[in-house]
């Protein structure tokens, strides 16, 4: 360390000049970083369900839909003025970027047809009469359209059950067919708002829009609040650092170095060709919090050295020498912990892992090297040295009181509290859920426009944006094979009777309705035809654009519309599909018929939930395994592993408990934050144990060593935990529920890890030392951390 210190401080001017040039260059690129989102980035592309989606996305309407509901504020939709609005909205949706035009469905679509039995035979024709246009439509035409829509069984699907709204549906594709570039979801979300809602919504018409594109756009819009609350947290953090250090210069150092690493992070992300996903927008601010945490440790030691009469150069050198190793160890632990997020095969989480890991790696340079180098140039201030010394003496009195927890009796009592809290947290953690726990999207408030739109559409229509599509693979011409169609009919009916299912669509069910039409609408004939001739007659009117079959009749999708996408609803439906596949005799006997899960938005959610559930425990196990290995390598003592890891383990389970209490499910947007908070929490234990170990190496007993360690590092640890908690707790007032939930969770995790490190770490250390006494030091070489 002496050699490293000599080289670094000998060339400090050159190093700082190079870092300044690098900061300017990264600043140029950082301002060019933009938010970007992608549908496939949110899903595990290697999962069985998503593989089904990717295989059949060009043949079956998939998961990435837009639903636009045009709603009459008064009366029904059956008037000419409303029909003009509906046609205009349909036209506008058709020509939006990324829309697969052949999938656009509304009453005005030529593929929306009605089939009826006339004196001349079966007749199929569009719902909109021939010759009727948006300029010529009259109320008499609307009456005809209404009759045709109802006769065509479009009520509940394209027309709401209460006749107050009509639906426009469209599917998106990842590559814009016009530009041949990846679809810009945020630009599309903006167009949905400006070209659809703002253009057509007035005092008579309300426009409701749901779908992934609109959802991610609302998240991006809410990210504006993230900046506001980050600025508020930044101000509070800066003020708190000043209250702690009572030095404008040291406050500036701690905050400035943390901000510099953000500039580097954003610039490097741009050069790597990556954008900032709206669901990962909180990560840079978490990395900033890590920087402030380590910055406070640096300025705490610098202030302590200055208070003892050292020069700024001597204080900076001592800080660099004593904190580079423990600080690097803590940051490397954070880095490896964040790296485990890359094990989750979802691109947005892997991007998040890269972003967080890059930010933490940069902290080694900005906070552990650049900060003390800049501090070495600070002018001498005798008054400040006296002020900090006075503050230090008053704080050490408080630390002496807290240090008594390392005595035998308080340590035993503290461990009893630890055991009770850990047991309660583990019990409550059993009730945690994977996925959404609310009817709408949990990233948005229930009162948000998007969640209100979803609730209203589900209440008025027999379909929703929450659809699970089971792709039935069959032999060729299965449409006219009774055995196959009968199996699909039984499967459709079984799914229709599962709790949480709104409605079911399939070719077999549609053929039943058509069979009755051929018999003058007699309800006694609502049954699946048994002969090939009758099946040809009843299924020939359905085209592949309906989403119920393909050209060769080798795939016959069953579309299951759900009431919501709550985790337990999805689990129930998936379990029902699995049960049918594994228990139905005919399904088991038909090796040529395969019910494949799953397309639709719910299929993607189910796949994501599966991956999150499968990755959660292995990922946390890897985080703790890395911490265990690094702690052992650093301290070469099994006691250190228990002392550092047990408080962290309790804080993690308490975090799970809080998520259960707040009704927050583990999903793409929440699990990474929990892992990041766990990684940050271990920093407190490293800094405390490093000082504790140094005094133990000197031969001091635990009851004496811990108060001494706490006097040096305890105030900074407590202050850091409180400051960061106060800063992120302001997020609870955000207009974005994701940010509010994560603010509360992070504030709690910061406090829980800080309290656990201050009280439970020494309790374990004292108890283990009493049960397993250490060998006498006898001049043993200090650990690298000392």
């Amino acid at each position: 360390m002496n050699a490293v210190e000599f080289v670094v401080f000998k060339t400090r001017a050159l190093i700082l000049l190079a870092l300044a040039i690098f900061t300017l260059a990264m600043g140029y690129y950082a301002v060019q970083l933009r938010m970007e989102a992608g549908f496939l980035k949110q899903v595990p592309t290697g999962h069985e369900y998503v593989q089904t989606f990717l295989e059949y996305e060009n043949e079956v309407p998939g998961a990435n839909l837009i639903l636009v509901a045009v709603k009459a504020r008064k009366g029904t939709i059956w008037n000419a003025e409303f029909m003009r609005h509906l046609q205009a909205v349909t036209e506008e949706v058709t020509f939006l970027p990324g829309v697969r035009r052949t999938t656009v469905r509304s009453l005005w679509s030529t593929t929306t047809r009605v089939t009826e039995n006339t004196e001349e035979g079966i007749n199929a024709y569009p719902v909109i009469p021939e010759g009727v246009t948006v300029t010529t439509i009259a109320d008499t035409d609307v009456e005809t359209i209404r009759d045709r829509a109802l006769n065509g069984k479009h009520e509940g699907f394209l027309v709401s059950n209460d006749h107050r709204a009509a639906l426009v549906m469209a599917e998106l594709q990842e590559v814009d067919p016009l530009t041949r570039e990846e679809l810009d979801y945020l630009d599309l979300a903006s167009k949905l708002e400006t070209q659809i809602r703002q253009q057509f919504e007035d005092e008579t018409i309300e426009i409701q829009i749901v779908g992934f594109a609109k959802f991610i756009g609302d998240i991006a819009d809410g990210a504006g609040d993230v900046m506001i609350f980050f600025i508020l947290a930044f101000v509070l953090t800066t003020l708190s650092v000043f209250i702690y250090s009572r030095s404008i210069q040291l406050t500036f150092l701690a905050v400035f170095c943390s901000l510099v690493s953000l500039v580097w992070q954003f610039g490097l992300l741009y050069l790597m060709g990556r954008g900032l996903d709206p669901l990962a927008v909180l990560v840079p601010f978490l990395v900033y919090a890590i920087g402030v945490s380590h910055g406070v440790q640096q300025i705490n030691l610098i202030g302590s050295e200055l208070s003892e009469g050292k020069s700024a150069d001597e204080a900076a050198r001592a800080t660099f020498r004593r904190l580079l190793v423990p600080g690097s160890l803590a940051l490397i632990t954070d880095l490896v912990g964040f790296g485990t997020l890359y094990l989750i095969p979802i691109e947005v989480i892997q991007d998040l892992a890269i972003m967080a890991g890059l930010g933490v790696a940069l902290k080694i340079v900005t906070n552990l090297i650049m900060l003390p180098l800049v501090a070495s140039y600070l002018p001498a201030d005798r008054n400040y040295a006296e002020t900090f010394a006075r503050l230090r003496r008053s704080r050490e009195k408080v630390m002496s009181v807290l240090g008594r927890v390392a005595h035998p009796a308080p340590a035993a009592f503290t461990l009893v509290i630890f055991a009770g809290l850990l047991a309660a947290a583990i019990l409550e953690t059993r009730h945690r859920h994977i996925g959404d726990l609310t009817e709408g999207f949990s990233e948005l408030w229930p009162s948000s426009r998007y969640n209100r739109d979803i609730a209203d559409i589900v209440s008025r229509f027999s379909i929703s944006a929450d659809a699970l599509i089971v792709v039935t693979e069959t032999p060729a011409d299965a449409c006219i094979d009774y055995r196959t169609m009968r199996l699909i009919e039984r499967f459709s009916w079984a799914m229709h009777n599962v709790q949480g299912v709104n409605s079911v669509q399939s070719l077999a069910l549609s053929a039943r309705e058509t069979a009755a039409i051929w018999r003058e609408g007699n309800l006694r004939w609502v049954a699946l035809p048994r002969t090939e001739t009758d099946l040809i007659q009843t299924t020939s009117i359905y085209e592949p654009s309906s989403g119920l079959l393909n050209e060769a009749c080798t795939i016959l999708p069953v579309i299951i519309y759900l009431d919501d996408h709550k985790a337990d609803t999805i689990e129930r439906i998936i379990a029902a599909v699995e049960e049918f596949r594994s228990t139905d005799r005919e399904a088991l006997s038909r090796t040529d018929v395969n019910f494949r899960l799953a397309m639709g938005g719910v299929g993607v959610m189910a796949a994501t939930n599966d991956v999150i559930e499968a990755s959660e425990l292995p990922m946390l196990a890897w985080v703790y395994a890395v911490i265990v290995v690094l702690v052992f390598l650093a301290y070469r003592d099994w006691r250190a592993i228990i002392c550092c890891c047990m408080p962290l383990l309790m804080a993690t389970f308490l975090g799970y408990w809080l998520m259960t209490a707040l009704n927050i499910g583990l999903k793409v947007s929440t699990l990474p934050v929990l892992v990041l908070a766990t990684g940050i929490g271990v920093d407190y234990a490293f800094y405390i144990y490093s000082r504790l170990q140094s005094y133990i190496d000197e031969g001091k007993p635990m009851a004496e060593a811990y108060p001494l360690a706490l006097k040096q590092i305890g105030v900074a640890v407590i202050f850091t935990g409180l400051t960061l908690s106060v800063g992120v707790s302001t997020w609870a007032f955000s207009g974005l529920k994701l940010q509010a939930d994560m603010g509360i969770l992070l504030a709690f995790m910061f406090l829980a890890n800080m309290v656990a490190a201050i009280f439970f770490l020494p309790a374990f250390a004292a108890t283990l030392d009493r049960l397993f006494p250490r060998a006498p030091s006898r001049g043993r070489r200090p650990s690298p951390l000392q």
Side-chain angles (χ1 to χ4, degrees), residues 436-564:
D436 275 315
L437 302 180
T438 56
E439 293 183 357
F441 281 92
S442 58
E443 290 84 356
L444 303 170
W445 290 105
S447 59
S448 68
R449 178 67 186 268
Y450 187 91
N451 280 338
R452 285 189 285 114
D453 284 354
I454 282 185
D456 197 59
I457 289 175
V458 170
S459 68
R460 295 180 186 278
F461 292 86
S462 298
I463 64 172
S464 69
D466 299 322
L468 175 71
I469 303 177
V470 179
V471 179
T472 311
E473 297 174 330
T474 65
D477 297 326
C479 306
I480 56 177
D481 178 64
Y482 174 74
R483 286 187 61 219
T484 303
M485 292 287 282
R486 172 61 180 159
L487 178 59
I488 295 173
E489 179 193 31
R490 290 176 49 248
F491 174 73
S492 303
W493 183 248
M495 295 303 104
H496 184 77
N497 288 281
V498 177
Q499 180 185 354
V501 171
N502 188 313
S503 62
V504 178
Q505 279 186 317
S506 68
L507 183 64
L509 293 181
S510 299
R512 288 163 48 94
E513 302 292 336
T514 308
I517 294 175
W518 276 94
R519 276 77 179 179
E520 299 180 351
N522 192 323
L523 296 180
R524 294 181 179 181
W525 289 96
V526 179
L528 187 66
R530 292 176 176 269
T531 66
E532 182 177 301
T533 303
D534 285 343
L535 283 171
I536 292 174
Q537 191 179 65
T538 55
T539 60
S540 60
I541 64 172
Y542 295 99
E543 300 177 355
S545 60
S546 67
L548 301 179
L549 72 163
N550 67 345
E551 289 284 355
C553 270
T554 55
I555 52 173
L556 304 176
V558 178
I559 307 172
I560 307 169
Y561 293 102
L562 279 61
D563 291 332
D564 55 62

Side-chain angles (χ1 to χ4, degrees), residues 315-330:
R317 288 174 180 269
T319 299
F320 176 84
R321 186 171 58 252
R322 289 166 60 181
L323 294 186
L324 179 62
V325 173
S328 298
L329 183 64

Side-chain angles (χ1 to χ4, degrees), residues 29-35 265-267 269-270 274-276:
Y29 293 114
V31 297
Q32 302 179 55
L33 186 69
R34 295 290 182 268
M35 282 193 184
Q265 182 183 17
F266 288 157
L269 284 175
Y270 177 81
R274 297 179 179 272
L276 187 61

